[in-house]
Amino acid sequence: MRIKKLFITPMFLLTLTGVVACGNSKKADNTDAAEKQVVVKAPAFNADSAYAYVQAQTDFGPRVPNTQAHKECGEYLAKQLEKFGAKVYNQYADLEAWNGTILKARNIIGAYKPESKKRVMLCAHWDSRPYADYDADEKNHRKPIDGANDGASGVGVLLEIARQIQQKAPELGVDIIFFDAEDYGTPEWHTGAYKPHDWCLGSQYWGRTPHVSGYYARYGILLDMVGGKGGTFYYEPYSYRTARKEVKKIWKKAHELGYGSYFIMEEGSEVTDDHVYVNQLARIPCVDIINYDPTCETSSFGPTWHTVNDNISNIDRNTLKAVGQTVMDVIYNEK
Ligand code: AHN
Ligand code: ZN
C-alpha cells in the first residue's frame, strides 16, 4: 500500500507562522490603537425637545397613582416610546402604599435592539408625589405636586434620548424604563406606625419581576431631579459604592463635554431611590444622577423638593442639556 506523504518542510512552517503572526500582530496593533483613540461623538441632545416632554407631563396635572391625570399620562408615555420605535412593555401591578391604599401602578419599558445581549438600562420615575409635605405653607402638606423636576424631568430627558436613538442607534441595546409609584412614601406629617420600603414601589416590583425573565444589563443610569434651575449632581454614595466604575465614567464624560459645573466630583448625601432596588433585586449596578444642593437648609434636594413650587417654572433647559448630553455620550461610546 502506498502512503501518500505530505511534505511539510521547516521552511514552509516558518513562512506560514511568519505570515500568520505578522498578520495577527499588525491587526492587533492597528485595532488597539484605533479603539483607544476613537471617542464617538453622540448626536446632539435637543434640550427644547426635552423641555417640551417635561411640560407635556405637567400639563396632565399631578401624576398621582389612581388619578385620571396619572392614567392619561401613562398612555401618553407608552405612545411616545412606541412612536420612537421602541418595543414597549407594560407592567400593571397593584401595589400597597404606606397607608394600605392599593395603587394601580404601571411600569412602562421601551426596548431598543431587544435581541442584543449587550445592554444598558436608563430609568426615571414617572409618578408625582401626592403630598407637598415639605412646603413652607402647612396648608399645602396634603396637596399633590406637579413634580416638574421630581419625576417629569428624568422622563423628559429619556423621551428625548429615545427620539435620538430612533434616528441613530448606539451599538448596544438600550432599555428605557419609567418606574411608577416611586414617590408615594410616608409623608412627614404621619405619626403612626411605619411600613418599611414604602418608596420606590414600582422599581421593587420590576426588580422582582423584570419585564423579560432573566433580564440583565451591564449597568443602569437613574435620572431623578435632573432639570431644576441651578441643579448640581454629586457622587451619590450608594451608587459610588456599588457602581463606582460607571459613576467615574459618567462624571469624567460630563467634564470632557464642558458640564463640570453641573457634575461635581465630590460625594453628596445617600438616597434610597429606585437604583437601590435595581441593584439589590435585579443585581444590576445602577447610578443615581440626582440633584444635591449642599446650600439648601430645608432639603438636600433643593428648595422646591416636595413643595407646590416644583412646577414647570423651576425647569431649566441648560440642566436638561447637561444631563441628557452626558448620558448620550456615555452610551454611544459603549461597544
Ligand atoms: C427618600 O426621601 C427616602 N428618598 C428620596 C427619593 C426620592 C423622592 N426621589 C424623588 N422623590
Ligand atoms: Zn419625590
Side-chain angles (χ1 to χ4, degrees):
M1 197 210 274
R2 280 179 56 201
I3 297 167
K4 267 193 185 165
K5 277 188 183 164
L6 184 61
F7 290 100
I8 301 173
T9 64
M11 195 53 217
F12 176 72
L13 275 177
L14 247 167
T15 317
L16 191 69
T17 50
V19 167
V20 171
C22 182
N24 272 348
S25 66
K26 250 196 182 159
K27 195 168 170 237
D29 282 357
N30 285 342
T31 46
D32 274 4
E35 274 169 13
K36 274 189 192 115
Q37 279 168 20
V38 172
V39 175
V40 175
K41 186 78 204 82
F45 178 91
N46 187 323
D48 291 323
S49 168
Y51 183 92
Y53 300 140
V54 175
Q55 183 146 37
Q57 294 168 77
T58 57
D59 281 351
F60 287 106
R63 280 90 55 223
V64 173
N66 299 350
T67 67
Q68 189 60 24
H70 178 267
K71 204 177 168 133
E72 286 171 9
C73 187
E75 284 304 299
Y76 163 77
L77 296 175
K79 286 222 176 79
Q80 288 297 102
L81 288 175
E82 231 152 60
K83 186 174 111 183
F84 299 145
K87 174 172 173 139
V88 176
Y89 301 80
N90 289 287
Q91 289 193 311
Y92 296 93
D94 290 354
L95 305 175
E96 191 185 331
W98 65 280
N99 56 358
T101 302
I102 300 299
L103 307 178
K104 294 282 181 191
R106 177 181 186 178
N107 291 329
I108 304 162
I109 299 106
Y112 290 93
K113 299 192 184 179
E115 70 290 348
S116 176
K117 293 271 167 282
K118 298 187 285 181
R119 322 196 58 75
V120 293
M121 56 174 279
L122 307 177
C123 47
H125 76 89
W126 72 272
D127 60 310
S128 71
R129 183 154 178 76
Y131 327 108
D133 50 350
Y134 270 72
D135 202 275
D137 185 348
E138 209 190 314
K139 287 197 290 297
N140 292 330
H141 284 189
R142 288 160 199 263
K143 289 184 188 162
I145 67 170
D146 280 354
N149 197 25
D150 190 355
S153 67
V155 171
V157 166
L158 294 184
L159 283 177
E160 168 58 6
I161 292 178
R163 191 180 72 87
Q164 294 288 346
I165 291 176
Q166 183 181 37
Q167 290 172 30
K168 182 185 187 292
E171 263 189 56
L172 76 186
V174 178
D175 300 290
I176 291 179
I177 307 188
F178 299 146
F179 291 125
D180 200 354
E182 187 276 345
D183 229 347
Y184 217 109
T186 312
E188 285 296 309
W189 41 260
H190 175 67
T191 51
Y194 175 75
K195 186 173 180 279
H197 299 289
D198 55 333
W199 301 83
C200 308
L201 302 180
S203 57
Q204 292 186 59
Y205 180 83
W206 179 86
R208 295 191 175 94
T209 323
H211 61 291
V212 168
S213 80
Y215 177 80
Y216 191 72
R218 285 181 190 173
Y219 62 87
I221 302 177
L222 171 65
L223 305 182
D224 197 0
M225 302 180 248
V226 292
K229 283 181 181 150
T232 45
F233 310 100
Y234 287 66
Y235 298 153
E236 187 278 317
Y238 184 89
S239 309
Y240 202 58
R241 284 201 305 281
T242 56
R244 179 160 310 194
K245 197 177 76 200
E246 289 75 25
V247 168
K248 286 187 166 169
K249 178 156 70 179
I250 295 164
W251 265 251
K252 179 168 175 274
K253 180 60 78 180
H255 280 245
E256 286 165 5
L257 294 171
Y259 302 122
S261 64
Y262 294 90
F263 285 79
I264 312 301
M265 290 169 161
E266 292 169 31
E267 285 199 74
S269 70
E270 188 154 337
V271 186
T272 302
D273 208 344
D274 293 318
H275 68 310
V276 171
Y277 296 102
V278 169
N279 182 68
Q280 284 182 0
L281 300 172
R283 299 275 160 206
I284 295 169
C286 188
V287 177
D288 195 3
I289 302 181
I290 184 165
N291 184 48
Y292 172 72
D293 180 349
T295 69
C296 181
E297 280 158 23
T298 50
S299 158
S300 65
F301 301 123
T304 66
W305 185 67
H306 292 182
T307 76
V308 296
N309 299 321
D310 182 4
N311 55 37
I312 194 74
S313 69
N314 173 42
I315 299 299
D316 185 339
R317 288 172 176 79
N318 298 303
T319 313
L320 297 170
K321 172 74 177 177
V323 173
Q325 192 64 63
T326 298
V327 170
M328 281 187 63
D329 273 273
V330 167
I331 64 169
Y332 280 77
N333 276 287
E334 297 291 349
K335 291 272 163 278

